[in-house]
């Protein structure tokens, strides 16, 4: 049977693979946080998850969405940012509720206090939403005024993906400082590595903007470095850590 005779099978198959890859890009990034969310909800303890993870991902994905207005890229990457924003807001809501429940009688802290010492440690989820809206508004206005500058647009895209790419660096530093990976889930890091590898390959194959590919490669290297740490520190006596790290945490 010649190639033309197989078109009826190959074309739908290629389309199906394309849809599958796009779906994996959109929802794959949030998969590692599902077990984390369920664990926090089950134990009513959020000590093992840093809300700074949410901060970094919120900033990175807001900047990526703004970058889209200056330079259009693959739609699955845009929807990935939207899904990640919603996921991080859900994580913030749960962590805030759990933390406030354990701090009964404590002093209420709010975004309106403008206290840098308590930044991102507020007592109500609405304060986090206010902060995100303010950042989005300011960044949106700056982007609107500078959208005609190619240098600004390219810099905005680079900052968006670089912020996300460096998400694992705090975990890398924490492991180095404690000379231990105790409390860190190896399965979680393997999920990061496989997901970041797939994402980087998707960037390269779909000719995404250069910033995406370069920072994707950096993210894979950081993940691999964490795995090397896990191997190197496996035989060493673990030092006590204040909180276990079960997510990319600061």
């Amino acid at each position: 049977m010649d190639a033309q005779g197989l078109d009826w099978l190959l074309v739908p198959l290629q389309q199906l693979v394309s849809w599958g890859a796009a779906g994996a890009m959109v929802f794959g990034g949030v998969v590692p946080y599902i077990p984390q969310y369920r664990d926090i909800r089950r134990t009513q303890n959020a000590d093992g998850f840093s809300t700074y993870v949410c901060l970094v991902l919120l900033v990175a994905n807001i900047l990526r969405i703004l970058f889209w207005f200056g330079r259009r890229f693959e739609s699955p990457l845009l929807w990935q940012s939207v899904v990640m924003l919603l996921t991080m807001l859900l994580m913030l809501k749960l962590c805030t509720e759990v933390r406030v429940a354990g701090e009964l009688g404590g002093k209420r802290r709010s975004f309106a206090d403008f206290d840098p010492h308590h930044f991102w440690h507020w007592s109500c989820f609405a304060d986090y939403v206010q902060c995100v809206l303010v950042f989005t508004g300011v960044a949106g206005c700056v982007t609107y005024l500078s959208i005609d500058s190619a240098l600004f647009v390219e810099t905005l895209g680079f900052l968006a993906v670089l912020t996300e790419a460096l998400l694992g660096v705090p975990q890398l530093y924490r492991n180095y400082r404690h000379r231990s990976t105790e409390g860190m889930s190896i399965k979680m890091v393997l999920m990061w590595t496989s997901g970041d590898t797939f994402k980087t390959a998707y960037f390269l194959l779909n000719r995404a903007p250069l910033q995406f590919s370069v920072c994707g490669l950096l993210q894979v290297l950081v993940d691999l470095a964490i795995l090397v740490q896990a191997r190197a520190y496996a035989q060493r006596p673990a030092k006590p850590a204040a909180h276990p790290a079960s997510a990319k945490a600061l």
Side-chain angles (χ1 to χ4, degrees):
M1 185 178 294
D2 57 17
Q4 291 183 348
L6 292 176
D7 284 349
W8 67 272
L9 177 62
L10 294 179
V11 172
L13 184 60
Q14 291 174 351
Q15 188 66 49
L16 185 61
V17 171
S18 177
W19 288 343
M25 277 302 305
V26 173
F27 299 104
V30 306
V31 170
Y33 298 97
I34 294 176
Q36 183 71 58
Y37 182 92
R38 296 179 63 184
D39 185 58
I40 294 174
R41 191 177 182 87
R42 177 177 56 83
T43 63
Q44 290 298 295
N45 187 335
D47 291 341
F49 181 80
S50 172
T51 54
Y52 283 107
V53 172
C54 301
L55 173 62
V56 172
L57 285 175
L58 286 168
V59 170
N61 285 282
I62 289 170
L63 293 180
R64 186 196 286 187
I65 292 173
L66 293 176
F67 175 55
W68 182 83
F69 288 99
R71 182 177 177 185
R72 301 299 171 91
F73 49 80
E74 291 283 324
S75 295
L77 300 180
L78 176 65
W79 285 109
Q80 180 195 48
S81 292
V82 175
V83 171
M84 184 61 77
L85 285 176
L86 295 175
T87 301
M88 290 301 103
L89 289 174
L90 285 174
M91 290 294 296
L92 268 177
K93 185 175 186 298
L94 177 62
C95 290
T96 304
E97 291 174 350
V98 170
R99 189 182 69 248
V100 171
E103 297 178 352
L104 296 177
K107 182 180 178 181
R108 174 182 168 78
R109 306 185 185 109
S110 69
F111 172 67
D113 294 336
F114 298 109
D115 185 350
H117 297 290
H118 296 129
F119 176 76
W120 213 248
H121 290 287
W122 302 308
S123 304
C124 182
F125 173 65
D127 293 302
Y128 293 94
V129 175
Q130 291 175 25
C131 180
V132 171
L133 290 177
V134 169
F135 174 79
T136 303
V138 172
C141 288
V142 173
T143 301
Y144 177 77
L145 295 174
S146 308
I147 199 69
D148 294 328
S149 170
L151 177 60
F152 172 82
V153 172
E154 295 301 324
T155 302
L156 180 65
F158 180 76
L159 289 176
V161 291
L162 180 63
T163 303
E164 183 177 355
L166 296 178
L167 188 61
V169 171
Q171 181 68 62
L172 190 71
Y173 174 72
R174 175 195 176 278
N175 296 342
Y176 173 78
R177 183 161 54 89
H178 291 282
R179 296 294 193 277
S180 170
T181 57
E182 183 180 10
M184 184 187 73
S185 170
I186 300 298
K187 292 181 180 179
M188 186 72 71
V189 179
L190 289 172
M191 290 177 69
W192 297 338
T193 307
S194 59
D196 293 338
T197 301
F198 172 81
K199 179 171 62 177
T200 304
Y202 183 91
F203 293 158
L204 293 171
L205 292 174
N206 288 274
R207 298 181 180 179
L210 181 62
Q211 299 97 321
F212 286 76
S213 301
V214 172
C215 292
L217 290 170
L218 176 60
Q219 200 164 3
V220 172
L221 291 176
V222 172
D223 294 339
L224 292 175
I226 295 175
L227 289 174
V228 170
Q229 284 182 325
R231 173 81 179 213
Y233 298 149
Q235 304 301 324
R236 298 188 182 184
K239 292 183 179 181
H243 301 300
S246 55
K248 290 184 178 178
L250 294 173

